[in-house]
Amino acid sequence: KEREMMQPRALQRITTNHTDVIHDVSYDLYGKRLATASADQKIKVWDLDDKNEWKQTSEWKAHQGSVFKIEWAHPEFGQVLASCSADNTVAIWEESEERTKDESRVWIKRKEIADSKDTLTSIKFAPSHLGLRLATCSQDGFVRIYEATDIMNLTLWSLVSDFEANKGGANCLSWNPSPLDKASIVVGPSAGTCDVRVWEYNDAQQRWKIIHTLAGHSDEVYDVAWAPNLGRTFHLIASGSKDKTVRIWRLPARSNSTDSPYGDVLDRHQDAVWRVQWNLTGTMLASSGDDGIVCQWKADVSGKWRLLTFIDGEDEDSAGGNTVLKLATPTDGSAGASSGMGGAGMNMGVGVGVGGSVGVGG
């Protein structure tokens, strides 16, 4: 019966020629551009052509260590990427009008930020209504938020706020995408506690404060995702953990509400869950983990979250003995498998690959 639930489109396999583990894959807002980040210290950018095929348009050495995360800024700010690395730096990249001899596009490093005292673990651009801002978190436990002083000159960035999110370190973060709420961020811990914490910026006190503590995971949290809210009277936050579970937390829409948050436990995965991602309407969730499975979840009429479809990443053999990172989109286009949302659906990394291929939903 579980086999009957699998309805992904055929995977388009891309030979990336990365020479080490692919740590992250990210789509731009429209799902027409794809960036890969690897332990080979390189970033590569791919564009979807008129034949619906992915073509590499850029490649460069980005850092002096493994590149852990890659993130697209909102396109209203131009073609801008941020990356973070094991070298403890964040880099801001902007695509230029220049071309190389082979017509590859040139990305210029506009800014390097080296404020973290420990390994950087995640980066996320703020929703566009907050301006061109970038949040980072690291194993030193701090979340740091930077803002472009002049969006026409991306060499100028300033640290606008920081706070200690967790003394044991922070693995992941996600912004509240709603323009109707105060700026708020959810942060997942790496050690010291298993509680996911929601922070909101207090204008009067000019500092970030905890407004919710989401307790339930029994091990460190690898990813969090705040769902888009298109008219709901509550917020949804998803978290994926080393404890093999996904939790979907329901929070009151108003931070001063007396209602307590509560969560559903989704336990289909047989190993650590590394990625959770919502579709553009916040009605479906995809999750992926070390078991090679991508699960797609949807709430039923009673509000209970249930498994809708799943993709088994182990169904295809990996060429040359390499583990393959597969990305897929189900037949209804509503949710799928990269680290960023693309087009009408959602894209999520199924696993990491060593130098081999990336499979992308066709």
Side-chain angles (χ1 to χ4, degrees), residues 81-101:
L81 284 166
S83 59
C84 72
S85 167
D87 64 11
N88 291 357
T89 67
V90 174
I92 306 295
W93 307 91
E94 185 175 29
E95 189 176 46
S96 73
E97 297 297 324
E98 299 177 47
R99 296 291 185 271
T100 62
K101 291 181 180 179

Side-chain angles (χ1 to χ4, degrees), residues 244-256:
K244 307 179 186 179
T245 69
V246 174
R247 289 178 181 259
I248 298 180
W249 307 91
R250 178 169 168 157
L251 282 64
R254 301 184 311 278
S255 59
N256 60 354

Side-chain angles (χ1 to χ4, degrees), residues 136-341:
T136 72
C137 66
S138 74
Q139 292 296 343
D140 66 11
F142 277 81
V143 171
R144 297 176 176 88
I145 300 170
Y146 301 89
E147 183 174 32
T149 307
D150 179 358
I151 62 172
M152 302 304 293
N153 182 2
L154 296 185
T155 64
L156 303 176
W157 290 76
S158 60
L159 178 66
V160 292
S161 60
D162 62 352
F163 59 93
E164 189 174 28
N166 179 43
K167 291 185 181 298
N171 272 339
C172 50
L173 56 83
S174 180
W175 289 86
N176 177 356
S178 174
L180 303 178
D181 296 321
K182 295 179 181 179
S184 40
I185 294 176
V186 57
V187 182
S190 60
T193 180
C194 301
D195 295 344
V196 175
R197 291 169 179 162
V198 181
W199 298 77
E200 182 180 87
Y201 189 73
N202 186 297
D203 292 313
Q205 300 181 18
Q206 294 189 336
R207 66 186 183 95
W208 289 83
K209 300 182 67 176
I210 296 176
I211 57 171
H212 296 296
T213 297
L214 310 178
H217 284 297
S218 59
D219 212 327
E220 61 183 302
V221 175
Y222 287 148
D223 199 18
V224 288
W226 199 311
N229 189 343
L230 302 182
R232 283 191 304 265
T233 58
F234 53 88
H235 287 296
L236 292 175
I237 291 174
S239 57
S241 170
K242 188 178 179 181
D243 67 11
K244 307 179 186 179
T245 69
V246 174
R247 289 178 181 259
I248 298 180
W249 307 91
R250 178 169 168 157
L251 282 64
R254 301 184 311 278
S255 59
N256 60 354
S257 172
T258 57
D259 295 340
S260 298
Y262 62 91
D264 287 333
V265 181
L266 313 180
D267 57 1
R268 169 63 177 80
H269 288 283
Q270 302 301 309
D271 212 328
V273 179
W274 280 94
R275 187 62 54 85
V276 288
Q277 186 72 51
W278 295 96
N279 66 346
L280 289 180
T281 57
T283 55
M284 293 186 186
L285 179 76
S287 60
S288 67
D290 276 343
D291 56 4
I293 300 293
V294 173
C295 294
Q296 180 182 342
W297 308 89
K298 184 176 174 62
D300 61 21
V301 292
S302 68
K304 180 71 173 178
W305 288 86
R306 300 190 182 280
L307 181 64
L308 187 63
T309 60
F310 75 94
I311 303 166
D312 189 344
E314 301 300 323
D315 282 350
E316 294 188 16
D317 292 331
S318 299
N322 291 328
T323 302
V324 177
L325 169 63
K326 299 184 179 72
L327 308 175
T329 304
T331 52
D332 65 357
S334 58
S338 140
S339 55
M341 289 186 177

